[in-house]
Amino acid sequence: MKVTVLGSQGAIPKVGLFSSSLILNVCSTNILIDCCEGAQFQLRKNKIKLSKIEIILISHAHGDHYFGLIGLISTFSLMKRDKKLTLFCPLSVLKILQAHLKFSNMNLGYELEMKVLNNHTIIKILENNQFSIYAFPLKHSIYTNGFLIREKEKKRKLILEKALEKNIDKIYYNKLTKKENVINNDGVEINYIDVTKPGKKPRAFAYCSDTAYFDELINYIKGVDLLYCETTFLKKDKEKAAITLHSTTLDAAKLAKKGGVKKLLIGHFSSRYDDNNDFITEVSTIFEDVIISEEGKKIEV
Ligand SMILES: [Zn+2]
Ligand SMILES: [Zn+2]
């Protein structure tokens, strides 16, 4: 798993800085999470092939999280995309997109599967052989979701010298990595445990878009390897955070600590602040393993 930050800012972008968006690469699939204004420029700048994006997740209908969507979807069309694209978003974003497609009389030329999120508890929205995606409700001024992406258990790894020692035909190697016992060339059953070792540990990433802190959130993100949580405000502005239903540095740190996550990535910084290092300083008082969002930053999960 790898995260590439496309935008670090809150609602107001600055020169060279963008609102919230990131790319999650999981098992060779690129998932775009939120799509800020200018996201496609950031994708190009960071050399992420547009054709490799298969899934887009939009957390909510505030512009800083989806203003780039119409542009990106149109560019896919102009580039003669033929691969299917799956979009998960609230009904409001879907209606805006449909209105654009109608009034621009645009024939996309590729399959755009649009799935509406209207859950009010955590639900699984996609599952394949390699990973699952969940959406969970956040506490914001409009209907908003966070997302959890969890890799499935990886295949075991074959220990070749042991397999050779046990006289196993190589046509069975794949079965062994899928935890199946096999019969060797001498007619003896071989337990997969004896000739394989555990594969890479499955990883999990959670994305908390705009939200106030609430206790239930801990259960949604518990134990993930990397948690993204917005920190729009420093602690001195906690009243503003409460009014606008956003998180402060201390809210995100508390969530990371109570959730037992391994690392915390913070972003969605209000444009009122000049020095983003203050965010790290404040978070670190409660949760040490914190990373600050910066355009183009890559984080191995
Ligand atoms: Zn926002
Ligand atoms: Zn918002």
Side-chain angles (χ1 to χ4, degrees):
M1 258 189 191
K2 186 167 77 180
V3 166
T4 304
V5 176
L6 302 177
S8 64
Q9 300 296 294
I12 305 176
K14 295 178 181 174
V15 177
L17 302 178
F18 294 75
S19 296
S20 295
S21 285
L22 56 81
I23 280 276
L24 177 72
N25 182 274
V26 51
C27 308
S28 303
T29 298
N30 275 335
I31 302 172
L32 175 63
I33 308 184
D34 280 339
C35 187
C36 67
E37 189 177 352
Q40 57 177 315
F41 308 126
Q42 285 297 84
L43 290 165
R44 287 186 188 282
K45 191 173 175 187
N46 289 285
K47 299 193 170 24
I48 291 157
K49 282 197 173 156
L50 299 191
S51 60
K52 292 272 165 78
I53 296 170
E54 294 175 35
I55 298 164
I56 300 179
L57 309 172
I58 300 292
S59 64
H60 66 303
H62 282 157
D64 49 326
H65 298 263
Y66 85 90
F67 275 165
L69 189 61
I70 289 175
L72 184 62
I73 280 173
S74 304
T75 299
F76 284 152
S77 177
L78 295 168
M79 291 176 73
K80 309 263 182 270
R81 180 187 177 104
D82 51 14
K83 201 191 277 180
K84 176 178 147 187
L85 177 70
T86 304
L87 167 71
F88 293 90
C89 62
L91 183 63
S92 45
V93 173
L94 180 116
K95 284 189 167 178
I96 292 165
L97 192 56
Q98 283 178 330
H100 169 77
L101 293 172
K102 181 180 165 202
F103 290 118
S104 66
N105 198 21
M106 181 174 251
N107 175 15
L108 286 177
Y110 61 92
E111 185 187 352
L112 175 60
E113 182 185 29
M114 296 192 265
K115 298 203 166 188
V116 171
L117 297 172
N118 53 16
N119 52 299
H120 289 279
T121 185
I122 189 163
I123 58 159
K124 192 188 287 179
I125 57 173
L126 185 145
E127 182 174 16
N128 60 28
N129 293 336
Q130 295 170 308
F131 60 88
S132 302
I133 305 178
Y134 301 81
F136 53 85
L138 296 174
K139 194 173 167 188
H140 194 38
S141 53
I142 58 169
Y143 177 71
T144 303
N145 271 289
F147 302 102
L148 168 68
I149 296 96
R150 206 175 264 294
E151 285 179 346
K152 292 200 168 165
E153 195 182 342
K154 310 258 183 193
K155 283 203 295 188
R156 291 177 68 87
K157 284 203 169 118
L158 187 82
I159 308 167
L160 185 60
E161 59 270 33
K162 290 206 173 167
L164 291 170
E165 204 177 279
K166 297 273 185 193
N167 199 17
I168 303 167
D169 193 308
K170 64 180 174 194
I171 61 167
Y172 296 123
Y173 287 178
N174 199 30
K175 274 192 167 184
L176 289 161
T177 62
K178 290 193 234 166
K179 298 185 172 178
E180 290 179 44
N181 295 343
V182 300
I183 307 293
N184 75 358
N185 292 333
D186 307 317
V188 178
E189 184 177 359
I190 304 296
N191 192 317
Y192 73 89
I193 294 274
D194 296 335
V195 290
T196 60
K197 59 185 177 185
K200 214 173 152 194
K201 191 179 159 287
R203 306 281 158 171
F205 169 70
Y207 176 87
C208 291
S209 181
D210 297 2
T211 187
Y213 174 85
F214 58 104
D215 284 333
E216 185 64 11
L217 204 43
I218 299 165
N219 296 326
Y220 300 150
I221 56 92
K222 212 172 198 79
V224 297
D225 298 278
L226 180 67
L227 167 68
Y228 167 89
C229 186
E230 67 118 323
T231 52
T232 307
F233 295 104
L234 294 172
K235 65 181 177 186
K236 67 178 179 188
D237 290 318
K238 66 177 183 194
E239 281 79 21
K240 289 191 182 77
I243 293 165
T244 55
L245 294 166
H246 277 290
S247 292
T248 64
T249 46
L250 300 193
D251 292 329
K254 184 167 74 173
L255 178 64
K257 186 157 192 178
K258 288 192 170 184
V261 310
K262 299 210 173 57
K263 283 183 182 162
L264 169 66
L265 173 66
I266 54 169
H268 199 275
F269 308 119
S270 166
S271 61
R272 76 194 66 228
Y273 308 115
D274 294 322
D275 187 0
N276 285 352
N277 288 320
D278 293 342
F279 287 89
I280 289 277
T281 308
E282 288 191 5
V283 171
S284 303
T285 59
I286 294 176
F287 187 86
E288 279 190 0
D289 216 341
V290 56
I291 304 164
I292 195 156
S293 283
E294 286 168 332
E295 280 66 13
K297 186 178 268 187
K298 292 183 187 338
I299 302 136
E300 285 291 340
V301 182

